[in-house]
Short mmCIF file of all heavy atoms in Angstrom, two decimals:
data_model
loop_
_atom_site.label_atom_id
_atom_site.label_comp_id
_atom_site.label_asym_id
_atom_site.label_seq_id
_atom_site.Cartn_x
_atom_site.Cartn_y
_atom_site.Cartn_z
N MET A 1 51.38 -70.92 41.70
CA MET A 1 51.35 -72.08 42.52
C MET A 1 50.11 -72.88 42.15
O MET A 1 49.05 -72.33 41.96
CB MET A 1 51.32 -71.66 43.99
CG MET A 1 51.30 -72.83 44.93
SD MET A 1 51.34 -72.37 46.67
CE MET A 1 53.03 -71.90 46.83
N ALA A 2 50.24 -74.17 42.08
CA ALA A 2 49.12 -75.04 41.70
C ALA A 2 48.59 -75.74 42.93
O ALA A 2 49.32 -76.07 43.86
CB ALA A 2 49.60 -76.06 40.68
N TYR A 3 47.28 -75.94 42.93
CA TYR A 3 46.63 -76.66 44.01
C TYR A 3 45.87 -77.83 43.42
O TYR A 3 45.32 -77.73 42.32
CB TYR A 3 45.63 -75.76 44.74
CG TYR A 3 46.28 -74.66 45.53
CD1 TYR A 3 46.47 -73.41 44.97
CD2 TYR A 3 46.71 -74.87 46.82
CE1 TYR A 3 47.07 -72.39 45.68
CE2 TYR A 3 47.32 -73.86 47.54
CZ TYR A 3 47.49 -72.62 46.96
OH TYR A 3 48.08 -71.63 47.67
N GLN A 4 45.81 -78.89 44.15
CA GLN A 4 45.06 -80.05 43.70
C GLN A 4 44.10 -80.46 44.80
O GLN A 4 44.47 -80.57 45.96
CB GLN A 4 45.98 -81.21 43.37
CG GLN A 4 45.24 -82.44 42.89
CD GLN A 4 46.19 -83.58 42.56
OE1 GLN A 4 47.38 -83.43 42.63
NE2 GLN A 4 45.64 -84.71 42.21
N THR A 5 42.87 -80.64 44.42
CA THR A 5 41.88 -81.12 45.36
C THR A 5 41.46 -82.51 44.93
O THR A 5 41.06 -82.71 43.79
CB THR A 5 40.65 -80.19 45.38
OG1 THR A 5 41.08 -78.87 45.69
CG2 THR A 5 39.63 -80.66 46.39
N GLN A 6 41.55 -83.43 45.84
CA GLN A 6 41.20 -84.81 45.51
C GLN A 6 40.01 -85.22 46.35
O GLN A 6 39.98 -85.01 47.55
CB GLN A 6 42.37 -85.74 45.80
CG GLN A 6 42.09 -87.17 45.42
CD GLN A 6 43.32 -88.06 45.62
OE1 GLN A 6 44.39 -87.55 45.94
NE2 GLN A 6 43.16 -89.33 45.46
N THR A 7 39.01 -85.75 45.68
CA THR A 7 37.84 -86.25 46.37
C THR A 7 37.86 -87.76 46.30
O THR A 7 38.03 -88.33 45.23
CB THR A 7 36.56 -85.70 45.71
OG1 THR A 7 36.64 -84.28 45.69
CG2 THR A 7 35.33 -86.13 46.48
N ASP A 8 37.68 -88.39 47.43
CA ASP A 8 37.71 -89.85 47.47
C ASP A 8 36.33 -90.40 47.18
O ASP A 8 35.40 -90.23 47.96
CB ASP A 8 38.18 -90.31 48.85
CG ASP A 8 38.35 -91.82 48.92
OD1 ASP A 8 38.45 -92.45 47.86
OD2 ASP A 8 38.38 -92.35 50.05
N PHE A 9 36.20 -91.04 46.02
CA PHE A 9 34.94 -91.64 45.62
C PHE A 9 34.99 -93.16 45.71
O PHE A 9 34.12 -93.84 45.18
CB PHE A 9 34.58 -91.24 44.19
CG PHE A 9 34.11 -89.83 44.06
CD1 PHE A 9 34.77 -88.95 43.24
CD2 PHE A 9 32.99 -89.38 44.73
CE1 PHE A 9 34.33 -87.65 43.10
CE2 PHE A 9 32.55 -88.08 44.61
CZ PHE A 9 33.23 -87.22 43.79
N SER A 10 36.01 -93.70 46.35
CA SER A 10 36.13 -95.15 46.38
C SER A 10 34.95 -95.78 47.12
O SER A 10 34.52 -95.30 48.16
CB SER A 10 37.45 -95.55 47.06
OG SER A 10 37.45 -95.10 48.39
N GLY A 11 34.42 -96.80 46.54
CA GLY A 11 33.32 -97.52 47.16
C GLY A 11 31.96 -96.91 46.91
O GLY A 11 30.96 -97.43 47.40
N LEU A 12 31.89 -95.82 46.14
CA LEU A 12 30.61 -95.20 45.86
C LEU A 12 30.10 -95.64 44.50
O LEU A 12 30.87 -95.84 43.57
CB LEU A 12 30.73 -93.67 45.87
CG LEU A 12 31.15 -93.02 47.17
CD1 LEU A 12 31.27 -91.52 46.99
CD2 LEU A 12 30.18 -93.35 48.28
N THR A 13 28.82 -95.76 44.41
CA THR A 13 28.22 -96.10 43.12
C THR A 13 28.22 -94.87 42.22
O THR A 13 28.44 -93.74 42.69
CB THR A 13 26.78 -96.60 43.29
OG1 THR A 13 25.98 -95.53 43.79
CG2 THR A 13 26.71 -97.78 44.26
N LEU A 14 27.93 -95.07 40.97
CA LEU A 14 27.87 -93.96 40.03
C LEU A 14 26.79 -92.96 40.44
O LEU A 14 26.98 -91.75 40.36
CB LEU A 14 27.61 -94.48 38.61
CG LEU A 14 27.61 -93.44 37.51
CD1 LEU A 14 28.93 -92.70 37.45
CD2 LEU A 14 27.30 -94.09 36.18
N THR A 15 25.68 -93.46 40.91
CA THR A 15 24.59 -92.59 41.35
C THR A 15 25.02 -91.74 42.55
O THR A 15 24.73 -90.54 42.61
CB THR A 15 23.35 -93.42 41.72
OG1 THR A 15 22.98 -94.21 40.60
CG2 THR A 15 22.21 -92.55 42.15
N GLU A 16 25.73 -92.33 43.49
CA GLU A 16 26.21 -91.60 44.66
C GLU A 16 27.23 -90.53 44.25
O GLU A 16 27.22 -89.42 44.79
CB GLU A 16 26.81 -92.55 45.68
CG GLU A 16 25.78 -93.45 46.34
CD GLU A 16 26.41 -94.57 47.17
OE1 GLU A 16 27.55 -94.97 46.88
OE2 GLU A 16 25.74 -95.02 48.11
N ARG A 17 28.09 -90.86 43.30
CA ARG A 17 29.06 -89.88 42.80
C ARG A 17 28.33 -88.71 42.15
O ARG A 17 28.68 -87.55 42.36
CB ARG A 17 30.00 -90.53 41.79
CG ARG A 17 30.95 -91.51 42.38
CD ARG A 17 31.83 -92.09 41.32
NE ARG A 17 32.58 -93.23 41.84
CZ ARG A 17 33.42 -93.94 41.15
NH1 ARG A 17 33.63 -93.65 39.87
NH2 ARG A 17 34.07 -94.93 41.70
N PHE A 18 27.32 -89.02 41.35
CA PHE A 18 26.54 -87.98 40.70
C PHE A 18 25.86 -87.09 41.74
O PHE A 18 25.82 -85.87 41.59
CB PHE A 18 25.50 -88.60 39.76
CG PHE A 18 24.63 -87.58 39.10
CD1 PHE A 18 25.11 -86.78 38.08
CD2 PHE A 18 23.33 -87.39 39.53
CE1 PHE A 18 24.32 -85.83 37.47
CE2 PHE A 18 22.52 -86.44 38.94
CZ PHE A 18 23.02 -85.65 37.90
N ASP A 19 25.33 -87.70 42.79
CA ASP A 19 24.69 -86.93 43.86
C ASP A 19 25.66 -85.97 44.53
O ASP A 19 25.31 -84.83 44.84
CB ASP A 19 24.08 -87.87 44.91
CG ASP A 19 22.87 -88.62 44.39
OD1 ASP A 19 22.28 -88.18 43.38
OD2 ASP A 19 22.51 -89.64 45.01
N HIS A 20 26.91 -86.41 44.74
CA HIS A 20 27.92 -85.54 45.34
C HIS A 20 28.22 -84.36 44.43
O HIS A 20 28.31 -83.22 44.91
CB HIS A 20 29.21 -86.32 45.62
CG HIS A 20 29.14 -87.20 46.82
ND1 HIS A 20 29.20 -86.72 48.10
CD2 HIS A 20 29.01 -88.55 46.93
CE1 HIS A 20 29.11 -87.72 48.96
NE2 HIS A 20 28.99 -88.85 48.26
N VAL A 21 28.36 -84.61 43.15
CA VAL A 21 28.64 -83.53 42.21
C VAL A 21 27.46 -82.56 42.15
O VAL A 21 27.63 -81.34 42.16
CB VAL A 21 28.97 -84.09 40.81
CG1 VAL A 21 29.04 -83.00 39.77
CG2 VAL A 21 30.27 -84.88 40.85
N ARG A 22 26.26 -83.11 42.08
CA ARG A 22 25.05 -82.27 42.04
C ARG A 22 24.94 -81.41 43.28
O ARG A 22 24.62 -80.22 43.21
CB ARG A 22 23.81 -83.15 41.89
CG ARG A 22 22.53 -82.33 41.68
CD ARG A 22 21.29 -83.17 41.79
NE ARG A 22 21.21 -83.65 43.17
CZ ARG A 22 20.82 -84.87 43.51
NH1 ARG A 22 20.46 -85.74 42.61
NH2 ARG A 22 20.78 -85.23 44.78
N ASP A 23 25.21 -81.98 44.45
CA ASP A 23 25.14 -81.21 45.70
C ASP A 23 26.19 -80.10 45.72
O ASP A 23 25.91 -78.98 46.18
CB ASP A 23 25.33 -82.13 46.90
CG ASP A 23 24.19 -83.11 47.08
OD1 ASP A 23 23.10 -82.89 46.49
OD2 ASP A 23 24.37 -84.11 47.80
N ALA A 24 27.38 -80.38 45.23
CA ALA A 24 28.43 -79.36 45.19
C ALA A 24 28.04 -78.22 44.26
O ALA A 24 28.24 -77.03 44.58
CB ALA A 24 29.75 -79.97 44.74
N LEU A 25 27.45 -78.55 43.12
CA LEU A 25 27.00 -77.51 42.19
C LEU A 25 25.87 -76.69 42.79
O LEU A 25 25.80 -75.47 42.60
CB LEU A 25 26.55 -78.13 40.87
CG LEU A 25 27.67 -78.67 39.99
CD1 LEU A 25 27.08 -79.40 38.78
CD2 LEU A 25 28.60 -77.57 39.56
N ALA A 26 24.98 -77.33 43.54
CA ALA A 26 23.88 -76.60 44.18
C ALA A 26 24.40 -75.60 45.20
O ALA A 26 23.90 -74.48 45.29
CB ALA A 26 22.91 -77.58 44.84
N VAL A 27 25.42 -75.98 45.95
CA VAL A 27 26.01 -75.07 46.94
C VAL A 27 26.66 -73.89 46.24
O VAL A 27 26.49 -72.73 46.65
CB VAL A 27 27.03 -75.83 47.82
CG1 VAL A 27 27.88 -74.88 48.64
CG2 VAL A 27 26.33 -76.83 48.71
N LYS A 28 27.40 -74.16 45.16
CA LYS A 28 28.04 -73.07 44.42
C LYS A 28 27.01 -72.14 43.79
O LYS A 28 27.18 -70.92 43.79
CB LYS A 28 28.97 -73.63 43.35
CG LYS A 28 30.21 -74.26 43.92
CD LYS A 28 31.10 -74.83 42.84
CE LYS A 28 32.22 -75.61 43.46
NZ LYS A 28 33.48 -74.91 43.40
N TRP A 29 25.93 -72.69 43.26
CA TRP A 29 24.89 -71.88 42.64
C TRP A 29 24.19 -71.00 43.69
O TRP A 29 23.90 -69.84 43.44
CB TRP A 29 23.89 -72.76 41.91
CG TRP A 29 22.81 -71.99 41.24
CD1 TRP A 29 21.50 -71.96 41.61
CD2 TRP A 29 22.91 -71.13 40.12
NE1 TRP A 29 20.79 -71.13 40.78
CE2 TRP A 29 21.64 -70.60 39.85
CE3 TRP A 29 23.98 -70.73 39.31
CZ2 TRP A 29 21.40 -69.71 38.81
CZ3 TRP A 29 23.74 -69.84 38.28
CH2 TRP A 29 22.47 -69.34 38.05
N ALA A 30 23.97 -71.55 44.87
CA ALA A 30 23.33 -70.78 45.94
C ALA A 30 24.22 -69.61 46.37
O ALA A 30 23.73 -68.49 46.59
CB ALA A 30 23.02 -71.68 47.13
N ALA A 31 25.51 -69.85 46.47
CA ALA A 31 26.44 -68.77 46.84
C ALA A 31 26.46 -67.69 45.75
O ALA A 31 26.48 -66.50 46.06
CB ALA A 31 27.84 -69.33 47.07
N TYR A 32 26.43 -68.11 44.50
CA TYR A 32 26.42 -67.14 43.40
C TYR A 32 25.15 -66.30 43.44
O TYR A 32 25.19 -65.09 43.20
CB TYR A 32 26.55 -67.85 42.05
CG TYR A 32 26.43 -66.90 40.89
CD1 TYR A 32 27.46 -66.02 40.58
CD2 TYR A 32 25.28 -66.86 40.12
CE1 TYR A 32 27.35 -65.13 39.52
CE2 TYR A 32 25.16 -65.98 39.06
CZ TYR A 32 26.19 -65.12 38.76
OH TYR A 32 26.08 -64.24 37.73
N ARG A 33 24.01 -66.91 43.76
CA ARG A 33 22.75 -66.17 43.86
C ARG A 33 22.82 -65.13 44.98
O ARG A 33 22.32 -64.01 44.83
CB ARG A 33 21.57 -67.12 44.07
CG ARG A 33 21.14 -67.81 42.81
CD ARG A 33 19.78 -68.48 42.97
NE ARG A 33 19.58 -69.07 44.27
CZ ARG A 33 19.51 -70.37 44.53
NH1 ARG A 33 19.59 -71.23 43.56
NH2 ARG A 33 19.34 -70.80 45.75
N VAL A 34 23.43 -65.49 46.10
CA VAL A 34 23.61 -64.53 47.19
C VAL A 34 24.46 -63.36 46.71
O VAL A 34 24.14 -62.20 46.98
CB VAL A 34 24.25 -65.20 48.43
CG1 VAL A 34 24.69 -64.17 49.46
CG2 VAL A 34 23.29 -66.20 49.05
N TYR A 35 25.53 -63.67 45.99
CA TYR A 35 26.40 -62.62 45.45
C TYR A 35 25.62 -61.68 44.53
O TYR A 35 25.66 -60.46 44.69
CB TYR A 35 27.58 -63.25 44.70
CG TYR A 35 28.41 -62.24 43.94
CD1 TYR A 35 29.34 -61.45 44.59
CD2 TYR A 35 28.24 -62.08 42.56
CE1 TYR A 35 30.09 -60.51 43.89
CE2 TYR A 35 28.99 -61.15 41.86
CZ TYR A 35 29.91 -60.38 42.52
OH TYR A 35 30.64 -59.45 41.84
N ARG A 36 24.91 -62.24 43.56
CA ARG A 36 24.16 -61.42 42.59
C ARG A 36 23.07 -60.60 43.28
O ARG A 36 22.89 -59.42 42.97
CB ARG A 36 23.53 -62.28 41.50
CG ARG A 36 24.47 -62.85 40.49
CD ARG A 36 25.34 -61.86 39.75
NE ARG A 36 24.66 -60.64 39.35
CZ ARG A 36 25.25 -59.47 39.17
NH1 ARG A 36 26.54 -59.34 39.36
NH2 ARG A 36 24.58 -58.41 38.80
N ASN A 37 22.34 -61.20 44.20
CA ASN A 37 21.28 -60.47 44.90
C ASN A 37 21.85 -59.31 45.72
O ASN A 37 21.29 -58.22 45.76
CB ASN A 37 20.47 -61.39 45.80
CG ASN A 37 19.58 -62.32 45.01
OD1 ASN A 37 19.23 -62.06 43.88
ND2 ASN A 37 19.21 -63.43 45.63
N THR A 38 22.99 -59.55 46.38
CA THR A 38 23.62 -58.50 47.18
C THR A 38 24.08 -57.36 46.29
O THR A 38 23.84 -56.18 46.61
CB THR A 38 24.81 -59.07 47.98
OG1 THR A 38 24.36 -60.17 48.77
CG2 THR A 38 25.43 -58.02 48.88
N VAL A 39 24.73 -57.67 45.18
CA VAL A 39 25.17 -56.63 44.25
C VAL A 39 23.97 -55.84 43.74
O VAL A 39 23.97 -54.61 43.75
CB VAL A 39 25.97 -57.22 43.07
CG1 VAL A 39 26.16 -56.20 41.95
CG2 VAL A 39 27.32 -57.73 43.54
N ASN A 40 22.94 -56.53 43.30
CA ASN A 40 21.77 -55.85 42.75
C ASN A 40 21.10 -54.94 43.77
O ASN A 40 20.72 -53.81 43.45
CB ASN A 40 20.76 -56.86 42.21
CG ASN A 40 21.26 -57.55 40.96
OD1 ASN A 40 22.12 -57.05 40.25
ND2 ASN A 40 20.73 -58.73 40.69
N GLU A 41 20.94 -55.42 44.99
CA GLU A 41 20.28 -54.62 46.01
C GLU A 41 21.10 -53.39 46.40
O GLU A 41 20.56 -52.29 46.58
CB GLU A 41 19.97 -55.46 47.24
CG GLU A 41 18.87 -56.47 47.00
CD GLU A 41 18.57 -57.32 48.22
OE1 GLU A 41 19.05 -57.00 49.32
OE2 GLU A 41 17.84 -58.31 48.06
N LEU A 42 22.42 -53.56 46.51
CA LEU A 42 23.26 -52.42 46.86
C LEU A 42 23.35 -51.40 45.72
O LEU A 42 23.42 -50.20 45.96
CB LEU A 42 24.66 -52.88 47.28
CG LEU A 42 24.73 -53.59 48.64
CD1 LEU A 42 26.14 -54.12 48.88
CD2 LEU A 42 24.29 -52.68 49.76
N GLN A 43 23.33 -51.87 44.49
CA GLN A 43 23.40 -50.95 43.36
C GLN A 43 22.11 -50.14 43.22
O GLN A 43 22.13 -49.06 42.63
CB GLN A 43 23.68 -51.70 42.06
CG GLN A 43 25.12 -52.14 41.95
CD GLN A 43 25.41 -52.90 40.67
OE1 GLN A 43 24.52 -53.42 40.03
NE2 GLN A 43 26.68 -52.96 40.32
N GLU A 44 21.01 -50.63 43.76
CA GLU A 44 19.75 -49.89 43.71
C GLU A 44 19.72 -48.70 44.68
O GLU A 44 18.92 -47.80 44.50
CB GLU A 44 18.58 -50.82 44.00
CG GLU A 44 18.29 -51.81 42.89
CD GLU A 44 17.16 -52.75 43.23
OE1 GLU A 44 16.55 -52.60 44.32
OE2 GLU A 44 16.89 -53.64 42.41
N LEU A 45 20.60 -48.72 45.68
CA LEU A 45 20.64 -47.62 46.64
C LEU A 45 21.29 -46.40 46.01
O LEU A 45 22.19 -46.52 45.17
CB LEU A 45 21.43 -48.03 47.88
CG LEU A 45 20.88 -49.21 48.69
CD1 LEU A 45 21.83 -49.55 49.82
CD2 LEU A 45 19.49 -48.92 49.21
N ASN A 46 20.84 -45.22 46.44
CA ASN A 46 21.48 -44.00 45.92
C ASN A 46 22.75 -43.72 46.74
O ASN A 46 23.02 -44.37 47.75
CB ASN A 46 20.51 -42.81 45.92
CG ASN A 46 20.03 -42.44 47.29
OD1 ASN A 46 20.77 -42.50 48.27
ND2 ASN A 46 18.77 -42.04 47.40
N ASP A 47 23.51 -42.74 46.27
CA ASP A 47 24.81 -42.45 46.90
C ASP A 47 24.66 -42.04 48.36
O ASP A 47 25.49 -42.40 49.20
CB ASP A 47 25.54 -41.37 46.12
CG ASP A 47 26.04 -41.88 44.78
OD1 ASP A 47 26.22 -43.10 44.64
OD2 ASP A 47 26.24 -41.05 43.88
N ARG A 48 23.61 -41.32 48.68
CA ARG A 48 23.41 -40.89 50.07
C ARG A 48 23.13 -42.10 50.97
O ARG A 48 23.67 -42.19 52.08
CB ARG A 48 22.27 -39.90 50.15
CG ARG A 48 22.09 -39.35 51.54
CD ARG A 48 21.08 -38.26 51.59
NE ARG A 48 20.99 -37.77 52.96
CZ ARG A 48 20.21 -36.82 53.33
NH1 ARG A 48 19.43 -36.20 52.46
NH2 ARG A 48 20.17 -36.43 54.59
N GLU A 49 22.30 -43.01 50.52
CA GLU A 49 21.99 -44.20 51.32
C GLU A 49 23.24 -45.06 51.50
O GLU A 49 23.49 -45.58 52.60
CB GLU A 49 20.89 -45.02 50.64
CG GLU A 49 19.54 -44.33 50.64
CD GLU A 49 18.53 -44.98 49.74
OE1 GLU A 49 18.91 -45.61 48.74
OE2 GLU A 49 17.33 -44.85 50.06
N LEU A 50 24.03 -45.21 50.45
CA LEU A 50 25.29 -45.96 50.57
C LEU A 50 26.24 -45.27 51.54
O LEU A 50 26.88 -45.93 52.36
CB LEU A 50 25.95 -46.11 49.20
CG LEU A 50 25.30 -47.10 48.24
CD1 LEU A 50 25.96 -47.01 46.88
CD2 LEU A 50 25.38 -48.51 48.78
N ASN A 51 26.31 -43.95 51.47
CA ASN A 51 27.18 -43.20 52.37
C ASN A 51 26.74 -43.38 53.82
O ASN A 51 27.57 -43.50 54.72
CB ASN A 51 27.20 -41.72 51.98
CG ASN A 51 28.30 -40.96 52.68
OD1 ASN A 51 29.33 -41.52 53.00
ND2 ASN A 51 28.06 -39.68 52.91
N ASP A 52 25.43 -43.39 54.06
CA ASP A 52 24.92 -43.61 55.41
C ASP A 52 25.35 -44.97 55.95
O ASP A 52 25.56 -45.14 57.15
CB ASP A 52 23.40 -43.51 55.44
CG ASP A 52 22.89 -42.08 55.29
OD1 ASP A 52 23.70 -41.14 55.45
OD2 ASP A 52 21.69 -41.91 54.99
N LEU A 53 25.47 -45.95 55.06
CA LEU A 53 25.90 -47.29 55.45
C LEU A 53 27.41 -47.43 55.50
O LEU A 53 27.93 -48.47 55.92
CB LEU A 53 25.33 -48.33 54.47
CG LEU A 53 23.81 -48.47 54.45
CD1 LEU A 53 23.38 -49.37 53.31
CD2 LEU A 53 23.32 -49.02 55.78
N GLY A 54 28.11 -46.40 55.04
CA GLY A 54 29.58 -46.45 55.02
C GLY A 54 30.13 -47.28 53.88
O GLY A 54 31.20 -47.88 53.99
N ILE A 55 29.39 -47.32 52.78
CA ILE A 55 29.78 -48.12 51.62
C ILE A 55 29.98 -47.19 50.43
O ILE A 55 29.18 -46.30 50.19
CB ILE A 55 28.67 -49.15 51.28
CG1 ILE A 55 28.44 -50.09 52.45
CG2 ILE A 55 29.01 -49.93 50.02
CD1 ILE A 55 27.22 -50.98 52.28
N SER A 56 31.06 -47.42 49.69
CA SER A 56 31.25 -46.69 48.44
C SER A 56 30.82 -47.59 47.29
O SER A 56 30.77 -48.81 47.43
CB SER A 56 32.72 -46.29 48.26
OG SER A 56 33.51 -47.43 48.03
N ARG A 57 30.52 -46.99 46.17
CA ARG A 57 30.11 -47.78 45.00
C ARG A 57 31.22 -48.75 44.59
O ARG A 57 30.95 -49.84 44.12
CB ARG A 57 29.75 -46.87 43.83
CG ARG A 57 28.47 -46.15 44.07
CD ARG A 57 27.58 -46.14 42.85
NE ARG A 57 26.32 -45.51 43.21
CZ ARG A 57 25.22 -46.18 43.50
NH1 ARG A 57 25.21 -47.48 43.45
NH2 ARG A 57 24.12 -45.54 43.84
N ALA A 58 32.46 -48.35 44.78
CA ALA A 58 33.59 -49.20 44.41
C ALA A 58 33.68 -50.44 45.30
O ALA A 58 34.28 -51.45 44.91
CB ALA A 58 34.88 -48.41 44.48
N GLY A 59 33.10 -50.39 46.48
CA GLY A 59 33.19 -51.52 47.41
C GLY A 59 32.04 -52.50 47.36
O GLY A 59 32.02 -53.48 48.10
N ILE A 60 31.08 -52.26 46.49
CA ILE A 60 29.89 -53.11 46.44
C ILE A 60 30.24 -54.56 46.13
O ILE A 60 29.79 -55.48 46.80
CB ILE A 60 28.85 -52.55 45.44
CG1 ILE A 60 28.23 -51.28 46.01
CG2 ILE A 60 27.78 -53.59 45.12
CD1 ILE A 60 27.27 -50.58 45.07
N ARG A 61 31.07 -54.76 45.13
CA ARG A 61 31.41 -56.15 44.74
C ARG A 61 32.18 -56.88 45.84
O ARG A 61 31.96 -58.06 46.08
CB ARG A 61 32.17 -56.16 43.43
CG ARG A 61 31.30 -55.76 42.27
CD ARG A 61 32.08 -55.75 40.97
NE ARG A 61 31.30 -55.11 39.94
CZ ARG A 61 30.80 -55.74 38.89
NH1 ARG A 61 31.01 -57.03 38.74
NH2 ARG A 61 30.08 -55.09 38.01
N ALA A 62 33.06 -56.17 46.52
CA ALA A 62 33.82 -56.80 47.61
C ALA A 62 32.89 -57.20 48.75
O ALA A 62 33.04 -58.28 49.33
CB ALA A 62 34.90 -55.84 48.10
N ILE A 63 31.92 -56.35 49.05
CA ILE A 63 30.96 -56.68 50.11
C ILE A 63 30.12 -57.87 49.70
O ILE A 63 29.85 -58.76 50.51
CB ILE A 63 30.08 -55.44 50.42
CG1 ILE A 63 30.93 -54.37 51.09
CG2 ILE A 63 28.89 -55.82 51.28
CD1 ILE A 63 30.26 -53.02 51.19
N ALA A 64 29.71 -57.93 48.44
CA ALA A 64 28.92 -59.05 47.94
C ALA A 64 29.73 -60.34 47.97
O ALA A 64 29.20 -61.41 48.32
CB ALA A 64 28.41 -58.77 46.54
N MET A 65 31.00 -60.27 47.62
CA MET A 65 31.86 -61.47 47.67
C MET A 65 31.99 -62.00 49.09
O MET A 65 31.90 -63.20 49.33
CB MET A 65 33.26 -61.14 47.13
CG MET A 65 33.33 -60.96 45.64
SD MET A 65 33.07 -62.49 44.74
CE MET A 65 34.68 -63.20 44.86
N GLU A 66 32.15 -61.08 50.03
CA GLU A 66 32.25 -61.50 51.44
C GLU A 66 30.94 -62.09 51.92
O GLU A 66 30.93 -63.09 52.65
CB GLU A 66 32.66 -60.32 52.31
CG GLU A 66 32.92 -60.71 53.74
CD GLU A 66 33.42 -59.55 54.57
OE1 GLU A 66 33.96 -58.58 54.02
OE2 GLU A 66 33.28 -59.64 55.81
N ALA A 67 29.82 -61.50 51.50
CA ALA A 67 28.51 -62.03 51.92
C ALA A 67 28.27 -63.43 51.36
O ALA A 67 27.71 -64.28 52.05
CB ALA A 67 27.41 -61.08 51.46
N ALA A 68 28.71 -63.67 50.14
CA ALA A 68 28.43 -64.95 49.50
C ALA A 68 29.45 -66.02 49.82
O ALA A 68 29.09 -67.18 50.04
CB ALA A 68 28.37 -64.75 47.98
N TYR A 69 30.72 -65.65 49.84
CA TYR A 69 31.78 -66.65 49.93
C TYR A 69 32.62 -66.55 51.20
O TYR A 69 33.53 -67.36 51.40
CB TYR A 69 32.70 -66.54 48.71
CG TYR A 69 31.96 -66.64 47.40
CD1 TYR A 69 31.78 -65.54 46.59
CD2 TYR A 69 31.41 -67.85 46.99
CE1 TYR A 69 31.09 -65.63 45.38
CE2 TYR A 69 30.72 -67.95 45.80
CZ TYR A 69 30.57 -66.83 45.00
OH TYR A 69 29.88 -66.93 43.81
N GLY A 70 32.36 -65.56 52.03
CA GLY A 70 33.17 -65.37 53.23
C GLY A 70 34.47 -64.67 52.87
O GLY A 70 34.66 -64.19 51.78
N LYS A 71 35.37 -64.61 53.82
CA LYS A 71 36.64 -63.90 53.57
C LYS A 71 37.63 -64.74 52.83
O LYS A 71 37.74 -65.83 52.75
CB LYS A 71 37.25 -63.43 54.88
CG LYS A 71 36.47 -62.29 55.46
CD LYS A 71 37.24 -61.64 56.56
CE LYS A 71 36.49 -60.40 57.00
NZ LYS A 71 37.23 -59.59 57.89
#
């Protein structure tokens, strides 16, 4: 299934359009940093610490995705 997202830029100057794109990229980059930091921090824990938290090594990426991007 294909999805199309349309952004209405009518009436905006080129500079304003660039600002919108830059802001969107900044938001995506910030979410990616949250994902990477969460993965790195959880991978540093040993198996016992992860078990105490109720997390398996296989679930680290899923937890990081939820932390960064929501459900």
Side-chain angles (χ1 to χ4, degrees):
M1 181 177 285
Y3 291 93
Q4 180 180 357
T5 303
Q6 182 176 354
T7 305
D8 185 19
F9 286 121
S10 62
L12 298 178
T13 65
L14 184 59
T15 304
E16 291 170 334
R17 290 180 191 180
F18 178 74
D19 290 341
H20 284 284
V21 171
R22 187 191 65 220
D23 293 343
L25 288 174
V27 168
K28 289 179 188 255
W29 181 250
Y32 175 73
R33 282 194 323 249
V34 169
Y35 171 79
R36 287 304 319 153
N37 288 337
T38 304
V39 167
N40 290 338
E41 289 180 11
L42 289 175
Q43 285 179 340
E44 289 178 3
L45 299 176
N46 63 36
D47 289 336
R48 184 173 181 180
E49 292 168 331
L50 286 173
N51 192 29
D52 287 345
L53 295 172
I55 299 171
S56 69
R57 289 224 175 260
I60 289 176
R61 291 179 192 248
I63 291 168
M65 286 291 279
E66 186 176 338
Y69 305 108
K71 288 193 174 189

